Amino acid sequence: MISAGRRVGEAVRETWHHVWMRRQALVGAATAGLGLLGYATVVERNWFALRRYEVPVLPSGTRPLRVLHISDAHLTPGRHRLLSWIRSLDVLQPDLVVNTGDSIAHPDAVVPFLEALGPLLDRPGVFVYGSNDLYSPTPKNPARYLWRDSSLHPKRGFPDLPWAELGASMEAAGWLDANNKRGRIKAGDLDIEVAGVHDSHIGRDRYDEIARRADPAADLRLGVMHSPEPSVMDRFADDGYDLLLAGHTHGGQVCLPGVGTLVTNCGIDPERARGLHRHPPEGSDPRRPWLHVSAGLGTSPWAPFRLACRPEASLLTLVPREGDG
Ligand SMILES: [Fe+2]
């Protein structure tokens, strides 16, 4: 027969065992969490990837065109690895460079950004702004974008970043300002009609100002925007554009292996938050536009991590359509 004292002793030992196990589990989880955060902040955030895609979008008989798509650098002057990686991209010898915005995140970032672009500025180029070119980043819960659309942030009033200086410098180098504007550029052997909108994420897009049937005589009709908002992309598609380029989503920035993008921070579906797709995604029209969404080069300084979603630039090689001509 077990005495009452022995039962009490066993109960106490069992309780302590459970406490010890729970503490070990918490220590293990905290260690794994810190390790993951360290990896996402120090390693993956600086682990730049060059994505390559072939896009069958040109008329038959035309030579391929190499388009370098950069986006969302969110540059602060101290990001030396990012600066040197951007500086290395000219070796790809693109025929055209497209920058879909959110280039800066600091008042002193314009000059380093332009210096990093360096010889890329001597190539034909196109740019639009993102909201973060206008407004300096503010401290916030870095996880809030996982459950809240950042366009719902309180209105910030007047822009406080040197977006106009940034734009003027790119324009002075010969790049086309496509913020609610249309234009025509020559790149490689091609005559390209370009139209773009300012950032729909903060309501600055004015598609009506550029609305018009895209010129069927051009070799390529290119639509450019920061946020890949489906309602805006519908209008580009209706006007006959061949290729749409956007950024903004950061590919979700924090992704789950096997699951992928959790949030897009705009109206596009998570499956098209990065990479090459069509718009609309389904349909029988073989001429509906191709869509490339860049996962971007950087992050907000207040959310300095990326997980299962490396920072990237993309080289799109445009080639003739299959069965065209
Ligand atoms: Fe961004």
Side-chain angles (χ1 to χ4, degrees):
M1 189 174 177
I2 301 170
S3 71
R6 194 171 155 196
R7 280 201 300 273
V8 170
E10 282 176 356
V12 169
R13 273 198 299 280
E14 201 168 311
T15 301
W16 273 108
H17 181 70
H18 285 153
V19 169
W20 184 82
M21 290 288 284
R22 200 175 304 138
R23 188 180 300 160
Q24 291 302 102
L26 283 172
V27 168
T31 305
L34 282 174
L36 205 58
L37 185 63
Y39 163 79
T41 305
V42 178
V43 178
E44 186 162 325
R45 187 180 181 225
N46 292 299
W47 189 16
F48 304 104
L50 178 70
R51 311 290 184 195
R52 293 174 187 265
Y53 300 94
E54 196 168 271
V55 193
V57 74
L58 298 181
S60 64
T62 41
R63 284 199 298 186
L65 187 87
R66 294 154 69 84
V67 180
L68 176 65
H69 182 191
I70 58 173
S71 198
D72 295 86
H74 290 262
L75 188 68
T76 49
R79 294 220 56 205
H80 301 297
R81 287 194 183 92
L82 172 56
L83 286 165
S84 73
W85 199 71
I86 294 173
R87 209 169 286 128
S88 73
L89 294 173
D90 188 65
V91 76
L92 299 169
Q93 299 193 307
D95 301 299
L96 173 66
V97 184
V98 178
N99 175 10
T100 47
D102 274 8
S103 303
I104 56 174
H106 191 280
D108 298 332
V110 171
V111 170
F113 182 69
L114 296 169
E115 285 177 354
L117 289 177
L120 288 172
L121 286 169
D122 297 331
R123 300 179 181 277
V126 177
F127 70 94
V128 288
Y129 298 120
S131 61
N132 290 285
D133 293 312
L134 280 63
Y135 298 103
S136 57
T138 53
K140 54 181 176 274
N141 181 340
R144 76 182 278 161
Y145 70 88
L146 286 176
W147 70 85
R148 189 178 296 180
D149 187 314
S150 64
S151 68
L152 302 179
H153 292 179
K155 292 286 177 275
R156 296 279 307 278
F158 291 108
D160 61 344
L161 285 182
W163 60 274
E165 179 191 337
L166 172 69
S169 301
M170 290 189 283
E171 219 177 345
W175 283 18
L176 177 72
D177 176 351
N179 290 283
N180 301 326
K181 290 177 181 158
R182 321 172 57 92
R184 200 93 173 194
I185 56 176
K186 175 120 171 102
D189 298 331
L190 302 186
D191 168 31
I192 303 175
E193 180 170 37
V194 182
V197 289
H198 203 308
D199 192 357
S200 58
H201 196 58
I202 51 171
R204 287 183 175 247
D205 57 313
R206 302 286 180 269
Y207 195 91
D208 284 345
E209 294 177 13
I210 59 165
R212 193 177 73 190
R213 187 78 194 154
D215 184 359
D219 295 315
L220 175 72
R221 290 146 289 271
L222 174 65
V224 182
M225 72 213 87
H226 179 65
S227 306
E229 197 58 55
S231 59
V232 177
M233 296 193 293
D234 287 346
R235 299 203 64 185
F236 277 114
D238 289 346
D239 277 344
Y241 285 84
D242 303 302
L243 175 63
L244 309 179
L245 301 182
H248 175 69
T249 63
H250 296 195
Q253 194 168 316
V254 174
C255 298
L256 289 184
V259 176
T261 299
L262 302 175
V263 293
T264 67
N265 207 15
C266 65
I268 199 170
D269 45 287
E271 290 73 23
R272 296 188 296 158
R274 56 176 158 161
L276 186 65
H277 301 275
R278 303 297 288 270
H279 185 80
E282 310 290 341
S284 56
D285 181 2
R287 291 298 291 261
R288 68 192 197 280
W290 288 90
L291 165 68
H292 179 259
V293 180
S294 171
L297 290 156
T299 68
S300 163
W302 297 103
F305 44 76
R306 296 184 76 115
L307 188 63
C309 187
R310 290 169 61 189
E312 67 180 32
S314 301
L315 186 67
L316 312 175
T317 302
L318 312 189
V319 297
R321 290 185 192 88
E322 291 149 21
D324 208 22

